[in-house]
Amino acid sequence: MTRRSTVADAASEETLSNLGHEDREFPPDPAFTAQAVGKAELYEQADADREKFWADQARERLTWSKDFTQTLDWSDAPFAKWYADGQLNAAYNCVDRHVEAGNGDRVALHFVGEPGDTEDITYADLQDRVKRAANVLLESGVAKGDRVAIYLPMIPEAVISMLACARIGAPHSVVFGGFSSDALRSRIADAEAKVVITADGGYRRGKPSALKPAVDDAVKDSPSVLKVLVVQRTKEEVAWNDEKDLWWHEALEAASPEHTAEPMDAEHPLFILYTSGTTGKPKGILHTTGGYLTQAAYTNAVVHDVHPETDVYWCSADVGWVTGHSYIVYGPLANGATQVLYEGTPDTPHKGRWWEIIQQHKVSIFYTAPTAIRTCMKWGKEIPEKFDLSSLRVLGSVGEPSNPEAWIWYRDVIGGGKAPIVDTWWQTETGAIMVSALPGVTTLKPGSAQIAVPGISVDVVDEQGNSVDNGHGGYLIIDKPWPSMLRGIWGDPERFKETYWSRFKGIYFAGDGAKKDEQGNIWVLGRVDDVMNVSGHRLSTTEIESALVSHPKVAEAAVVGATDETTGQAVCAFVILRGDAVQEADEPGEGADLVAELRNHVAKEIGAIAKPRQILIVAELPKTRSGKIMRRLLRDVAENREVGDVTTLADSSVMDLIQQGLAKPA
Ligand code: WTA
């Protein structure tokens, strides 16, 4: 059995049949439709002439320093060029032009720190800081085209740094602050970053959480890094390297506030963002300027229904993920929106923190992940009910399939029984939203991402690449190039072609299984490759397996994503120990210590988000005759199901052994 035939697996039969029976529908409210940014005509316009549609979007939503003459060049497929002879500056589009249009006093960011500190940053303030930060980067030796790594908490400097990079044409590589120093080091090395922007730390669950030590550790072995810019956030003591380290606040204060944004070619690289793939090595997904910004701005406007003059928008993602790139930084700022930027967790200092922020800032558009909704559901509706959430008029979700129960709860408890919910499907690779309802246009179906947004063409196909009929399942694909598509994998064009374009000739394979219902709505079922989705975060089974095997006590490891009620999937590891460690684990009480040691080891290698929920020490792993681990059987064990067909195992007694071992009292 190959991994590819796991559509039915990943999308367990049970999920399929549940989804098939969901028939509640929510037609748009005419009052909402009347004011909606997204109009039904967009579908017809895009169908009539796709390229013209995207040319119009680019010109309507962005300010170009030089207009383009060709919308799409697909002659070197799968390497696309959009608006190639046009020029623009992304930071100018996100900041300066709003100030020039007289909106300098509009709040760009309502920053809310976890300890309760707040700061309102207007577009004019943002412009001043971005210009100064751009000058600091230039003085630190960063030239156009050089890469900058950003490893920051969710504070305004994260947004400012990204825009400062965009302003000078230095592609940023944001590394999620929860990743370990090893993960940071490998990303710095892959992109050969010249500068790292970090902070002394941030606040997490009521306490300062240091970041600088991880950077110090990573930079020691990073010859490409010339300078480390350090934001002072927690004021905790940090080690200091006089040759490399610079305080952000000192450098910005000393820097000139004058800087003219240089127009970049539309295809100039804007950023690299590393994401997990099916192998151990994360892929640096490359996005460029014009197409990415066009689709980020367009989807943010029509899907989230952003009216920049009146709305307060809040996307709860971290800037370390693509959602933060497209729907905190580039989309909403290109549209001139006012948004909330929150540093901390939803339950610090109390479980109503998010709802309190929504009440305080009269947030009208809220975009989060299904995991968060399920967690809040578990905490109980009494918590959000204590707050006035009546300002909310659009709700969104992203990152994983949202189940109908959570969807209905989200609409009723958070959205006052009336706010439309947009369930948006997209990926780091797609750059921006691809499949989603348009609020005010689409009749909503709880649990389905629904249909491609105007201008995008997706389908569900069978093993041979043929479109499946409504009512059937298969693989989710994208059959026409789109403006914000990835332009490649940093430094690895072959891997780009192989990963996305070889499964079905000439079409993009997303790695997800999906089903079309009788009306043609798309129900995304989850990954069909070795990628897990834990709380909306992408993790690679192979990467965690390599981390486990790098521990001296581990001989072999297999990782599976087991269904989890709250986090969608959870990491479950099956580990075979080396000789001496086996005896140690058998000593009374030692097994638990060893499991804790291995969990911490994964956190050190990758980051706390990758820590397995469960590690099971086993004597054998189920393998086929050709030596391939049958993860499907391990998933059965992890999900407490009866173990499936074992006939293709080299040794069919292995599963009995595993189960007997697990049944033994610890
Ligand atoms: C999953 C996050 C179901 C999917 C923007 C995809 C979803 C992966 C949805 C990309 C959704 C994202 N419904 N599944 N609405 N949105 N996914 O790169 O498996 O972190 O391939 O991008 O998340 O994760 P990534």
Side-chain angles (χ1 to χ4, degrees):
M1 180 184 127
T2 69
R3 290 294 299 158
R4 271 179 185 146
S5 54
T6 52
V7 171
D9 237 23
S12 75
E13 291 304 329
E14 193 191 348
T15 330
L16 263 170
S17 58
N18 277 347
L19 294 178
H21 292 137
E22 179 55 54
D23 48 17
R24 281 169 285 192
E25 286 191 344
F26 298 87
D29 171 357
F32 191 103
T33 307
Q35 61 79 59
V37 180
K39 306 281 182 215
E41 301 85 84
L42 290 175
Y43 292 102
E44 288 139 44
Q45 289 166 10
D47 285 346
D49 188 342
R50 256 172 44 84
E51 287 192 26
K52 177 176 183 309
F53 175 82
W54 284 118
D56 291 348
Q57 292 302 329
R59 293 193 178 106
E60 201 178 296
R61 301 191 182 277
L62 304 180
T63 304
W64 294 77
S65 318
K66 180 173 163 250
D67 194 20
F68 51 89
T69 58
Q70 187 183 20
T71 304
L72 168 67
D73 177 359
W74 192 229
S75 58
D76 185 26
F79 297 92
K81 291 197 186 82
W82 282 86
Y83 318 119
D85 60 346
Q87 288 191 326
L88 76 170
N89 185 288
Y92 173 83
N93 271 275
C94 290
V95 183
D96 303 53
R97 64 172 178 152
H98 306 312
V99 178
E100 288 168 15
N103 294 319
D105 291 339
R106 183 184 295 166
V107 172
L109 302 171
H110 288 295
F111 171 65
V112 181
E114 201 193 68
D117 56 320
T118 59
E119 189 186 9
D120 286 347
I121 299 174
T122 64
Y123 274 94
D125 295 335
L126 192 59
Q127 184 184 33
D128 178 70
R129 295 192 212 181
V130 171
K131 284 184 176 183
R132 288 173 187 268
N135 284 327
V136 171
L137 289 174
L138 292 170
E139 285 157 21
S140 303
V142 180
K144 179 174 167 180
D146 289 342
R147 277 78 56 204
V148 173
I150 298 177
Y151 186 67
L152 280 172
M154 280 290 290
I155 54 177
E157 286 79 3
V159 178
I160 296 166
S161 304
M162 290 162 75
L163 293 169
C165 289
R167 199 172 177 93
I168 62 168
H172 52 72
S173 159
V174 181
V175 180
F176 173 56
F179 277 128
S180 67
S181 96
D182 287 347
L184 175 63
R185 182 188 302 111
S186 66
R187 285 160 175 76
I188 290 175
D190 190 71
E192 298 168 287
K194 272 203 169 165
V195 164
V196 182
I197 307 180
T198 187
D200 46 4
Y203 291 93
R204 201 81 195 146
R205 300 195 186 283
K207 289 195 300 271
S209 158
L211 277 179
K212 175 92 175 11
V215 178
D216 293 340
D217 214 29
V219 166
K220 261 196 336 244
D221 306 315
S222 301
S224 63
V225 176
L226 306 175
K227 293 280 178 222
V228 178
L229 260 168
V230 188
V231 177
Q232 196 169 42
R233 169 73 184 134
T234 61
K235 303 205 165 73
E236 300 256 292
E237 212 165 312
V238 289
W240 202 255
N241 174 339
D242 286 328
E243 268 162 40
K244 284 200 173 156
D245 298 346
L246 288 175
W247 282 113
W248 168 278
H249 59 282
E250 290 177 3
L252 255 76
E253 203 187 311
S256 159
E258 301 303 326
H259 182 272
T260 308
E262 184 195 337
M264 302 289 155
D265 288 342
E267 283 298 337
H268 187 75
L270 182 62
F271 66 85
I272 306 167
L273 183 58
Y274 288 84
T275 189
S276 297
T278 50
T279 69
K281 190 170 176 271
K283 306 175 276 201
I285 302 299
L286 174 67
H287 283 287
T288 59
T289 308
Y292 170 81
L293 200 60
T294 297
Q295 198 176 326
Y298 156 74
T299 48
N300 176 243
V302 302
V303 174
H304 296 121
D305 196 48
V306 173
H307 298 260
E309 305 79 18
T310 48
D311 275 312
V312 179
Y313 165 94
W314 181 15
C315 165
S316 75
D318 191 285
V319 287
W321 309 110
V322 75
T323 307
H325 282 59
S326 305
Y327 298 107
I328 294 178
V329 182
Y330 292 109
L333 294 179
N335 290 330
T338 294
Q339 54 181 327
V340 166
L341 183 76
Y342 173 54
E343 178 185 26
T345 56
D347 54 352
T348 308
H350 58 80
K351 293 194 168 83
R353 186 73 192 268
W354 274 7
W355 320 122
E356 183 180 66
I357 294 173
I358 289 176
Q359 169 179 297
Q360 234 159 29
H361 288 284
K362 298 201 166 39
V363 171
S364 52
I365 305 169
F366 185 55
Y367 191 35
T368 193
T371 298
I373 301 160
R374 290 193 294 265
T375 303
C376 293
M377 247 173 105
K378 223 167 48 185
W379 292 340
K381 66 177 188 308
E382 305 74 50
I383 295 171
E385 276 172 358
K386 282 192 234 141
F387 299 91
D388 177 6
L389 305 180
S390 60
S391 55
L392 285 172
R393 52 174 212 88
V394 181
L395 300 174
S397 83
V398 57
E400 15 151 18
S402 100
N403 42 320
E405 305 83 86
W407 196 100
I408 297 285
W409 189 92
Y410 195 23
R411 180 177 168 102
D412 286 347
V413 179
I414 307 303
K418 61 178 192 345
I421 298 180
V422 285
D423 174 349
T424 62
W425 176 88
W426 58 294
Q427 309 177 296
T428 306
E429 292 87 341
T430 69
I433 295 170
M434 303 294 282
V435 180
S436 171
L438 291 190
V441 177
T442 317
T443 291
L444 305 172
K445 293 207 94 181
S448 166
Q450 304 207 283
I451 54 169
V453 298
I456 297 298
S457 179
V458 304
D459 201 358
V460 178
V461 300
D462 63 16
E463 292 281 344
Q464 282 72 45
N466 302 314
S467 179
V468 304
D469 291 335
N470 286 354
H472 293 268
Y475 303 101
L476 186 58
I477 57 100
I478 308 169
D479 56 13
K480 299 208 173 69
W482 63 103
S484 64
M485 66 196 291
L486 74 165
R487 299 301 196 264
I489 294 176
W490 186 255
D492 203 344
E494 280 313 308
R495 190 173 175 200
F496 169 62
K497 288 195 237 171
E498 163 62 29
T499 310
Y500 305 104
W501 304 93
S502 66
R503 179 77 178 82
F504 304 109
K505 195 116 196 72
I507 53 184
Y508 174 89
F509 172 48
D512 280 319
K515 189 194 162 198
K516 284 196 270 194
D517 69 14
E518 292 304 338
Q519 288 132 355
N521 287 300
I522 289 171
W523 299 74
V524 181
L525 302 169
R527 304 289 308 193
V528 294
D529 52 14
D530 293 337
V531 173
M532 290 171 292
N533 191 326
V534 179
S535 299
H537 297 155
R538 263 168 80 163
L539 296 170
S540 142
T541 53
T542 336
E543 200 181 347
I544 301 177
E545 285 166 4
S546 320
L548 284 165
V549 175
S550 74
H551 190 283
K553 290 180 187 160
V554 175
E556 227 182 312
V559 165
V560 296
T563 306
D564 183 284
E565 217 175 85
T566 308
T567 58
Q569 284 189 309
V571 181
C572 288
F574 294 78
V575 166
I576 303 182
L577 298 176
R578 285 178 192 270
D580 320 348
V582 175
Q583 277 147 27
E584 183 193 327
D586 274 344
E587 304 281 321
E590 294 302 316
D593 287 354
L594 185 62
V595 165
E597 186 179 330
L598 296 182
R599 292 183 74 233
N600 290 335
H601 180 71
V602 174
K604 184 188 158 290
E605 292 286 309
I606 304 172
I609 46 165
K611 262 191 187 179
R613 177 187 72 182
Q614 236 177 328
I615 295 186
L616 304 169
I617 311 268
V618 295
E620 297 283 355
L621 288 171
K623 288 186 187 154
T624 59
R625 276 173 210 102
S626 61
K628 212 164 157 35
I629 295 172
M630 289 188 74
R631 291 195 180 76
R632 165 172 72 80
L633 299 175
L634 295 175
R635 212 175 302 128
D636 289 340
V637 173
E639 293 175 352
N640 293 319
R641 255 199 313 272
E642 200 177 315
V643 170
D645 185 10
V646 295
T647 47
T648 50
L649 283 183
D651 173 358
S652 60
S653 66
V654 166
M655 289 315 293
D656 291 337
L657 256 177
I658 291 179
Q659 285 183 308
Q660 280 160 16
L662 298 181
K664 252 196 342 207

